[in-house]
Structures are given as C-alpha cells and as structure tokens.
Amino acid sequence: MNDIERKVVKAIQHGMPKSLTPYEDMAKEAGITTDEILGVLNGWAENKKLRRIGAIVNHFEVGLSAGMMTVWQVPEDQLEEVGEQLAGFKEVSHAYARQGSEDWPYNLYTMVHGSTEEEVKNTIERMSETCGVKNYSGLGTIKELKKVPPTYIVNGTD
Amino acid sequence: MDKTDKSILSVLQNEFPICAKPYDILAEKLGLTVDELWERINKMMDSGVIRRIGASLDSQKLGYSSTLAAVRVENAVVDQAADLIGSYHEVTHSYQRDNEYNIWFTLIAVNDARIAQILEEIRVKRGLNESDVLNLPVLKLFKLDARFKTNAEKKSK
C-alpha cells in the first residue's frame, strides 16, 4: 500500500462517520482530498480489494437470531464439490476449506443461519443429506467474547 | 421495521455509492427525501439494527494474513483466556463455543509469522500444550456473504 492508501485504510477501518458527507469527513480527518479517497475506494471496488461497502446489519435484530458454525470432515477428493454444494444453501453465509490437523480433522467450515435453533438444525441435516457427509459437528455459540472490525493500521505506525 | 426500512437496508447493504454525497443518490433511488432517509437510518443505528456503516476489505489482497484459531482451555479459566486473546488488536472476532476447543477466534495480522507468534504467546502464557491450540488457515473460499436478505430480496430469488 502507498501512503494515501494507508491513510484511506486507517480512516475507514473502524467504520464511516455518521454524516451525509462521510468520504469528505474521512478525507479531512486523514489529511487527503475527497477525490483521493474516492479514487482509492473506487479503484479497490474495481479490483475487489474492497469486498463491500455499506451497512453492517445486526443479525439478531433482524430476526436471524440463531446461527451455528458447522464443521465437516470431507474426503480430500470431494472437498471442492461438497464446498460448492454447501455454499449453495441460502442459509449459509460463510463456507471455507481450511487445513485440518491430526487433533482436528475437519476441513470444511460453514456458518449456518436461521430464525430458530430448530430451523438451523434442520438446515444442517438437509446439508448433510445433500452432500452425503455424515462426519460433522455443530459448534454452538455460548458467548460472543469480542467482535470488532479489523485494525489494519495501528495508531502511531503511519 | 416497515417496508420502507427494509428497502433502505437492502440498498444500504448492497448499493452504497462511493461518491461525495452518497445519501442523495440513495434517497433518489428509494423515492425519499434525504431528510427522511437520514432520519430512518439514524433510528436503525440507534436501535442497533445497523451495527455500523463501513467497508469490508479483502485482507489477503491488501497483503495481510488471516486465520481461524481455537484453544482448548479449562472452563474455569475461559474468561481469563478470553481476555488475553481479546487483548490482541489482531483478534477481530472471538466466541466461546460448545466444544472441547472452547474459544474460537479470527485473526488478521501483517503476516503469517505474526499470527504464529501470537498463538505461541497465548499457548505459553496459558500453559497449554501444542495440541490445545488450532491454527486453521483458509485453503479455499467458497462463499462469504454476511448480508441480511430482506424479504423483498428473498422473493425475487
């Protein structure tokens, strides 16, 4: 990242200001021009360094109160196919293949959402039937301990 | 939340413009005045429906490393371990989960070495064995879409 890009990341990393002119306000704060911040962000939207910009909605507040991280032990040669299958469920927000280990053989990770725990359980069963993987485990959330946006640029390091 | 709020949430999640006056464009798209739109957005922020308005960057494309990690600690010390884990600014999300590995957390750091260093520090400080700490980096992303689908969107699918 160049100097201007670092300033943009630092300005936007913890959310945009509550303002009708959020980019202008962030630019002022960062000591760059509004055109510079818009230029960087539009460039990043194009090359996908910016995944998304906009509202982050609280799932609990909009009725999707249940969610379950579900991990799957998939034979290596089926990982690609099963990953795509499970990602195709509309109830699934995240699906990743991850490196398993001897202590933890699961290699496919999904976040499954629904309005009730029952609904989520049913979805997970349907997912298992669809992909034929019986070795899976639902890791229910007991408590949210921390949830913050990433800090890419730490104060004082720019 | 009425129909108008749901329409606002939909465009606010999916079509937030990158330009000098983004809310003017959204208001026009929704057929609302900027004042009305702004009032409704502020209400949804105050009530917690909207956590924040922000950017989700691709940490990997920006040159950062990330992973999902977990530790297995005794239930009696979950809070102390959680405090230690949460003290790293590289830790973005952390949950206590119903599993023998009972604290799960995501890390975004400048490189893989920093992630390994943090996990090793946590392991040593908590007196854990190597098998008590999992580091599960992504091999492949199949889907990442944390957007809430409003009813309007569900029907059109």
Side-chain angles (χ1 to χ4, degrees):
Chain A
M1 281 193 282
N2 66 33
D3 185 48
I4 288 176
E5 289 174 328
R6 288 177 66 84
K7 284 180 173 166
V8 172
V9 169
K10 195 177 171 197
I12 208 167
Q13 62 186 353
H14 292 156
M16 298 209 277
K18 214 167 163 179
S19 151
L20 286 170
T21 53
Y23 302 107
E24 194 185 321
D25 293 12
M26 285 188 288
K28 261 187 205 147
E29 182 77 30
I32 55 177
T33 67
T34 307
D35 282 347
E36 281 173 326
I37 195 170
L38 294 175
V40 168
L41 290 174
N42 275 313
W44 283 355
E46 208 139 288
N47 65 22
K48 303 280 199 289
K49 284 184 181 172
L50 178 65
R51 278 212 171 99
R52 190 167 77 79
I53 199 161
I56 319 287
V57 168
N58 188 337
H59 287 223
F60 288 91
E61 295 287 337
V62 292
L64 283 179
S65 49
M68 181 93 91
M69 183 169 99
T70 310
V71 298
W72 309 78
Q73 189 179 346
V74 186
E76 210 54 48
D77 59 341
Q78 293 170 33
L79 189 55
E80 184 79 29
E81 187 193 346
V82 172
E84 295 292 351
Q85 263 179 339
L86 298 190
F89 278 74
K90 69 174 181 354
E91 297 89 345
V92 170
S93 63
H94 299 62
Y96 295 99
R98 294 182 182 276
Q99 181 73 60
S101 73
E102 233 171 75
D103 305 308
W104 189 258
Y106 301 100
N107 53 357
L108 186 64
Y109 293 69
T110 54
M111 275 304 305
V112 187
H113 300 271
S115 47
T116 62
E117 265 178 49
E118 190 63 30
E119 198 182 295
V120 171
K121 268 190 193 145
N122 289 340
T123 301
I124 293 168
E125 273 167 31
R126 270 195 296 125
M127 289 165 69
S128 170
E129 276 162 29
T130 302
C131 69
V133 177
K134 301 290 173 220
N135 248 335
Y136 64 90
S137 180
L139 282 68
T141 305
I142 294 172
K143 193 156 76 170
E144 183 181 290
L145 302 165
K146 181 178 184 182
K147 189 162 189 170
V148 298
T151 298
Y152 291 103
I153 313 282
V154 183
N155 260 336
T157 61
D158 54 344
Chain B
M1 240 191 343
D2 62 11
K3 223 175 117 194
T4 305
D5 281 342
K6 283 184 179 165
S7 305
I8 291 172
L9 270 190
S10 174
V11 296
L12 213 53
Q13 286 189 102
N14 300 306
E15 300 163 51
F16 196 85
I18 303 171
C19 66
K21 291 185 174 171
Y23 296 98
D24 289 26
I25 291 175
L26 292 178
E28 197 182 334
K29 198 174 269 176
L30 290 158
L32 302 169
T33 65
V34 176
D35 284 348
E36 192 183 351
L37 172 65
W38 192 236
E39 195 190 318
R40 282 174 176 269
I41 289 173
N42 276 286
K43 265 188 195 152
M44 286 193 274
M45 282 182 160
D46 292 342
S47 69
V49 169
I50 299 174
R51 268 184 194 255
R52 63 194 160 86
I53 294 176
S56 166
L57 299 166
D58 187 322
S59 59
Q60 217 168 347
K61 287 200 179 122
L62 288 176
Y64 291 79
S65 294
S66 64
T67 198
L68 172 71
V71 295
R72 178 166 55 193
V73 300
E74 283 175 35
N75 277 319
V77 298
V78 161
D79 287 343
Q80 288 101 303
D83 285 348
L84 170 64
I85 290 164
S87 71
Y88 291 94
H89 74 78
E90 286 93 343
V91 172
T92 57
H93 296 36
S94 153
Y95 297 91
Q96 184 182 357
R97 294 197 183 279
D98 183 16
N99 189 268
E100 54 169 324
Y101 288 91
N102 44 2
I103 305 178
W104 288 75
F105 50 105
T106 51
L107 293 130
I108 295 178
V110 286
N111 51 40
D112 290 344
R114 175 63 184 152
I115 286 177
Q117 183 190 20
I118 292 170
L119 294 179
E120 181 62 9
E121 274 178 25
I122 291 168
R123 189 185 74 76
V124 170
K125 280 187 187 165
R126 293 305 320 171
L128 302 173
N129 296 316
E130 276 178 18
S131 61
D132 295 328
V133 181
L134 301 176
N135 180 8
L136 307 162
V138 169
L139 296 177
K140 180 165 182 176
L141 166 68
F142 293 107
K143 186 178 192 180
L144 195 175
D145 183 6
R147 290 171 299 181
F148 163 67
K149 306 280 185 303
T150 61
N151 284 333
E153 287 169 273
K154 274 184 197 157
K155 270 175 207 146
S156 68
K157 288 249 156 97

